[in-house]
Amino acid sequence: MSIVLITGGAGFIGSHVASALLARGHEVRVLDSLIEQVHGGSRPARLAPEADFIAGDIRDADTVARALRGVDKVVHLAAEVGVGQSMYAIERYVSVNELGTAVLFQQLIERPVQRVVTASSMSIYGEGLYRRSDGGLAESVERIEARPGAWDPRDADGAALVPVATPEWKRPALASVYALGKYAQERLTLTVCGAYGMEGVALRLFNVYGPGQALSNPYTGVLAIFASRLLNRRPPLVFEDGAQRRDFVHVSDVAEAFAVALEHEKAPGQVFNIGSGEHRTISEVGTLLAQAMGSPLMPEITGKTRSGDIRHCFADISRAERELGFRPRQDFAAGLAELAEWVARQEAVDRADEARRELEARGLVA
Ligand SMILES: NC(=O)c1ccc[n+]([C@@H]2O[C@H](COP(=O)([O-])OP(=O)(O)OC[C@H]3O[C@@H](n4cnc5c(N)ncnc54)[C@H](O)[C@@H]3O)[C@@H](O)[C@H]2O)c1
């Protein structure tokens, strides 16, 4: 069994990864600065008490050096996580996500570990993969203009494109400051680990949901944002027409993927999509969540676009299935019922309007 450091381990995904690793007999240490937007400043109750906790910033070299003492493996999750917010809090996002990862690897050169598994993101793909009407695949699709009646990307001749599951080989298209940072984290992990005899792995997570996601952080986790609205008796706010497709993967399946990626002999040097392998529209999940929470409210379709938003992206998870034996287990309806039950026991400040105003003030919503 190993001693595992989880950076950002007090967060939503981190606390589930901590529990999954403790259940497998690992020792867990967490380094987390407990940022206000996520935690309100205190160690969350859901973080297992057996996890050793160090409060500190990933950008602080001395703290990172202390956190790495005696550690065999690292799960790197510490990050600022709002795509929209990254488009105006640029310095903060580059500092935490890129410089923070650089500080971690600078310290790892002195104190190498066996393996580092980093959380990357589906956001690095930009638009997902599409199929053209002639049957060929289109992997560099971009929306020139997104407007009512013309939300979906089209090929160069204006013909319709059909979204298909996105595999790891699709070229990245970094459409936000957040995506740029996640790609830097992923590449730093593979490059520096490769150069110093460590094993590096990156998991490209799709839309993760489940109990424990910060309900009052309006910048991340569409299901958490919708839940927070519904809890406050307001309809979920849906951008565009709500027909954009995503892959929602339960946090327990993601935690399992990290546990496997830390151990599996085939993982090193690779990137893996981690999703459910299913796709749904945003309107549909808003409606299903409202039903699961017993709310009569329906999603409100705003018809607005956010700068950097993509239309469709959902996961091809065949590499993780084939190489790691990854099998998402959580049924979506059961996952929503569990989320609704957890949400009913929470208090959430609904900051969705505030977040939208921040983006609108900077011309990032049209
Ligand atoms: N939730 C998703 O759908 C999703 C999807 C793709 C990728 N990811 C990635 O997974 C990771 C975990 O995300 P999450 O959803 O659990 O978010 P989260 O905000 O709940 O967790 C991130 C944690 O990092 C900590 N943190 C932030 N800045 C820090 C700093 N400077 N030093 C130390 N700790 C710091 C925060 O306090 C928080 O506990 C992130 O790297 C994120 O980019 C998440």
Side-chain angles (χ1 to χ4, degrees):
M1 292 298 117
S2 309
I3 303 182
V4 183
L5 171 67
I6 311 177
T7 73
F12 164 48
I13 297 173
S15 53
H16 286 269
V17 173
S19 298
L21 296 182
L22 288 164
R24 287 177 176 236
H26 297 294
E27 271 183 52
V28 170
R29 184 177 301 154
V30 161
L31 168 64
D32 197 300
S33 60
L34 302 176
I35 62 170
E36 186 69 27
Q37 185 162 288
V38 177
H39 297 285
S42 53
R43 173 178 169 145
R46 66 175 182 281
L47 176 60
E50 305 91 302
D52 180 18
F53 181 72
I54 298 177
D57 197 303
I58 188 76
R59 293 164 291 180
D60 184 76
D62 291 341
T63 306
V64 173
R66 183 158 61 94
L68 282 172
R69 227 170 269 158
V71 162
D72 304 303
K73 298 179 179 179
V74 173
V75 173
H76 179 38
L77 305 176
E80 293 278 356
V81 301
V83 176
Q85 190 176 44
S86 78
M87 295 299 284
Y88 66 87
I90 297 171
E91 190 178 346
R92 184 168 127 204
Y93 272 73
V94 171
S95 175
V96 173
N97 295 359
E98 297 179 47
L99 179 61
T101 305
V103 170
L104 172 65
F105 279 103
Q106 194 70 51
Q107 293 307 311
L108 279 167
I109 294 176
E110 305 296 325
R111 298 161 193 78
V113 294
Q114 189 196 331
R115 190 174 291 192
V116 181
V117 182
T118 293
S120 181
S121 161
M122 50 90 69
S123 66
I124 68 144
Y125 291 120
E127 281 293 344
L129 191 65
Y130 286 79
R131 191 178 297 287
R132 292 192 302 264
S133 51
D134 65 6
L137 292 173
E139 67 160 313
S140 300
V141 171
E142 266 185 54
R143 292 195 286 184
I144 308 299
E145 183 191 23
R147 58 182 163 78
W151 297 116
D152 284 306
R154 300 198 154 253
D155 74 8
D157 304 323
L161 293 161
V162 178
V164 297
T166 299
E168 291 85 351
W169 54 257
K170 185 203 170 282
R171 266 194 297 274
L174 307 170
S176 65
V177 174
Y178 173 75
L180 186 67
K182 294 316 285 182
Y183 195 57
Q185 292 188 336
E186 175 182 316
R187 298 324 299 175
L188 274 168
T189 302
L190 298 185
T191 306
V192 181
C193 284
Y196 288 93
M198 295 181 277
E199 298 170 337
V201 186
L203 302 184
R204 293 176 177 168
L205 311 180
F206 279 64
N207 286 64
V208 187
Y209 77 98
Q213 193 154 28
L215 291 178
S216 301
N217 180 354
Y219 295 99
T220 185
V222 68
L223 275 173
I225 296 168
F226 286 180
S228 173
R229 294 280 298 176
L230 290 161
L231 203 56
N232 287 284
R233 297 193 169 73
R234 296 199 181 111
L237 289 178
V238 172
F239 287 99
E240 305 189 9
D241 61 351
Q244 53 275 49
R245 290 187 170 273
R246 297 289 188 274
D247 178 321
F248 290 89
V249 59
H250 193 267
V251 67
S252 60
D253 287 323
V254 172
E256 182 66 17
F258 274 100
V260 172
L262 272 179
E263 288 167 15
H264 204 288
E265 58 179 18
K266 286 193 181 165
Q270 299 215 60
V271 299
F272 296 96
N273 283 344
I274 300 298
S276 67
E278 297 173 357
H279 52 94
R280 295 184 163 78
T281 69
I282 297 293
S283 281
E284 181 190 346
V285 299
T287 305
L288 291 173
L289 180 66
Q291 286 167 359
M293 288 176 65
S295 167
L297 293 168
M298 293 296 285
E300 184 184 315
I301 309 291
T302 66
K304 299 207 172 207
T305 44
R306 268 183 315 190
S307 173
D309 261 2
I310 51 110
R311 183 64 174 164
H312 305 294
C313 188
F314 43 90
D316 177 339
I317 57 169
S318 53
R319 181 185 289 177
E321 285 177 331
R322 191 178 61 244
E323 307 269 301
L324 305 179
F326 172 64
R327 300 266 179 283
R329 292 207 176 83
Q330 181 72 54
D331 169 73
F332 189 64
L336 281 188
E338 178 208 33
L339 180 67
E341 194 266 322
W342 175 77
V343 166
R345 288 182 278 118
Q346 310 302 311
E347 271 181 36
V349 184
D350 168 25
R351 298 206 172 101
D353 289 327
E354 199 181 303
R356 191 166 69 163
R357 277 195 298 275
E358 290 274 9
L359 297 176
E360 278 172 353
R362 294 168 173 86
L364 297 169
V365 175

